[in-house]
Amino acid sequence: MRCRKCGISLPEESKFCLSCGAKQTPGARRPMKRPNGTGTVYKLQGRRKRPWVAAKNKVVIGYFETRTAALEALNRLAGRTVEEAYNMTFAQVFAAWKAEHYREISQSAKETYDHAFDLFRSLHGKKFRTLRTADFQAVVDQHFHKSYSMVSKLKQLLTQMSKWAMREEVITTNLAAFVRLPENVKKEKEIFTQADIDKLSQDGSEAARIVLMLIHTGMRIGELFSLPLADWHETYLIGGEKTEAGRNRVIPICPEGRQHFAYFAAQATGTLLLSGYTGQHLLDNFRSRDYYPLLDRLGIPRRTPHATRHTYASRARQSGMKPEILQKILGHADYNTTANIYVHTDIETLVKAVESA
């Protein structure tokens, strides 16, 4: 064989030239240097799960298991500055996440997320990648006195935003996962008593009629306000929402509630059953301006409109309605939801059940 450099004759299998010292076997090629301004990749010492570091302009973009993954992260930054991608504030991440997520959720869900975002106002101007669990927790702790569903929505927002930020490689770890929530102590839902129902029946106002329509069908308030007039059939309705089991279901109307449906059917001015209602048609406005003032005026303790659904379920079971029938009327896919959440048994009923056993 001949030397790769000087060309003199060498013994076979020589590793180096005896004359010029040139290495005869090609070694591993060193990776090409990246162009200036495109970032760098290097490996940390020691045993690490993600030893490869991608950095640009002295800003660590992330840690990766392989050099290829680190290079891909840098390549995705092509044409963008680190400031654009990695200095996004809390508010900017929310805006970018919102642009995607809000396409798939209802208006009420959007309003809930917007409210949760407002509660994080102290973090709005801070860089998202610099925020830690303690920063998130400090805000969540301030609202522990609120309902569990509200506090859990705060964590849900943080989790959704963090997942988006990880996908876009603004951050490398979902720190929202470590946010603690208060213990979820479920309270027994209050229902309307017979005395409450009597007061509503005697009142005769349109708002009272709507409350009675909910009590005598078990409908969700949103289902009633969006019910087409064509789906009212005097003794029953075809309607529903939320789940597959809940949509387009048959909803019987209790005899004592049919007059109220007939009243609004006669008053209708459009395609919806309640189109002729003279009060508030937006649900939030109905609750605040019609519903709660009605309860206050009649001396009925404040309960959410959803309490009407709990009232219907409990009265139906007490009257002997079969569980599977009640499940279908309420539109639940699982009877456990009906039994564990919506059916309320009063003390007198429990005592009588024991005495008759």
Side-chain angles (χ1 to χ4, degrees):
M1 61 178 287
R2 292 188 174 277
C3 174
R4 299 174 62 207
K5 184 176 181 181
C6 66
I8 69 169
S9 180
L10 297 175
E12 292 296 330
E13 307 300 330
S14 295
K15 294 184 178 180
F16 296 92
C17 177
L18 300 176
S19 176
C20 68
K23 188 175 182 180
Q24 300 305 299
T25 55
R29 295 181 62 184
R30 296 182 63 183
M32 293 180 62
K33 182 181 178 182
R34 292 180 61 84
N36 291 339
T38 60
T40 183
V41 169
Y42 58 90
K43 189 176 184 181
L44 298 174
Q45 295 181 346
R47 298 182 62 185
R48 302 170 184 266
K49 184 177 180 181
R50 295 180 296 175
W52 289 95
V53 181
K56 185 176 181 182
N57 296 346
K58 298 182 179 180
V59 176
V60 173
I61 294 170
Y63 299 87
F64 305 89
E65 293 186 8
T66 64
R67 182 174 182 274
T68 300
L71 288 171
E72 289 174 350
L74 285 179
N75 291 337
R76 282 193 289 271
L77 267 180
R80 293 189 296 166
T81 66
V82 171
E83 287 72 22
E84 288 179 64
Y86 293 94
N87 287 346
M88 293 179 73
T89 64
F90 187 97
Q92 289 172 332
V93 169
F94 174 76
W97 165 81
K98 172 181 177 179
E100 292 184 16
H101 193 69
Y102 276 26
R103 302 172 191 165
E104 306 170 354
I105 60 177
S106 65
Q107 182 58 37
S108 60
K110 294 176 185 177
E111 293 171 357
T112 304
Y113 276 125
D114 286 342
H115 177 58
F117 171 70
D118 289 340
L119 296 181
F120 284 105
R121 65 178 63 89
S122 62
L123 305 182
H124 286 184
K126 297 185 177 181
K127 296 176 183 177
F128 198 81
R129 64 181 172 83
T130 66
L131 295 172
R132 297 294 178 262
T133 303
D135 300 310
F136 298 145
Q137 190 70 57
V139 176
V140 173
D141 287 350
Q142 294 173 8
H143 302 283
F144 264 31
H145 62 285
K146 297 183 178 179
S147 67
Y148 181 84
S149 61
M150 182 67 251
V151 180
S152 63
K153 182 61 69 173
L154 296 179
K155 180 173 181 178
Q156 187 177 348
L157 174 62
L158 291 173
T159 301
Q160 294 278 356
M161 289 174 59
S162 296
K163 286 181 178 179
W164 181 91
M166 286 184 68
R167 189 194 75 190
E168 297 300 313
E169 295 179 343
V170 176
I171 59 175
T172 59
T173 305
N174 183 359
L175 297 177
F178 304 104
V179 171
R180 294 176 292 100
L181 295 179
E183 183 182 358
N184 184 15
V185 180
K186 293 186 178 180
K187 298 180 180 178
E188 179 74 10
K189 300 286 185 180
E190 293 186 347
I191 62 176
F192 288 87
T193 64
Q194 185 58 53
D196 297 333
I197 296 174
D198 292 341
K199 290 180 181 179
L200 291 166
S201 300
Q202 294 164 11
D203 183 68
S205 67
E206 289 188 346
R209 287 179 181 272
I210 289 177
V211 178
L212 290 169
M213 291 162 76
L214 294 171
I215 289 176
H216 292 311
T217 57
M219 298 181 73
R220 301 177 179 90
I221 187 171
E223 293 175 335
L224 179 58
F225 271 80
S226 61
L227 182 73
L229 176 61
D231 288 340
W232 169 67
H233 301 280
E234 297 189 2
T235 59
Y236 68 95
L237 312 163
I238 300 294
E241 59 180 22
K242 196 170 183 180
T243 65
E244 188 63 35
R247 285 189 284 271
N248 297 322
R249 67 185 190 274
V250 176
I251 307 173
I253 307 171
C254 294
E256 54 266 49
R258 293 171 187 171
Q259 59 174 309
H260 306 302
F261 282 88
Y263 170 85
F264 281 108
Q267 297 285 108
T269 58
T271 58
L272 298 181
L273 178 69
L274 294 183
S275 57
Y277 175 50
T278 57
Q280 300 292 327
H281 287 253
L282 294 177
L283 293 185
D284 286 344
N285 290 344
F286 173 78
R287 291 187 187 94
S288 61
R289 301 180 189 178
D290 295 351
Y291 176 74
Y292 287 118
L294 169 68
L295 299 188
D296 294 342
R297 179 167 58 80
L298 298 181
I300 298 175
R302 284 199 170 200
R303 303 183 181 97
T304 66
H306 208 69
T308 58
R309 190 164 160 84
H310 289 266
T311 303
Y312 175 85
S314 294
R315 287 164 62 89
R317 286 298 293 127
Q318 289 172 8
S319 66
M321 182 181 291
K322 293 182 178 180
E324 61 272 19
I325 298 298
L326 178 58
Q327 178 186 345
K328 286 185 175 296
I329 292 175
L330 293 179
H332 291 154
D334 186 353
Y335 180 68
N336 287 331
T337 304
T338 311
N340 296 336
I341 299 177
Y342 286 91
V343 177
H344 304 259
T345 307
D346 58 30
I347 296 175
E348 184 179 354
T349 302
L350 292 173
V351 172
K352 286 183 178 179
V354 172
E355 291 177 346
S356 61

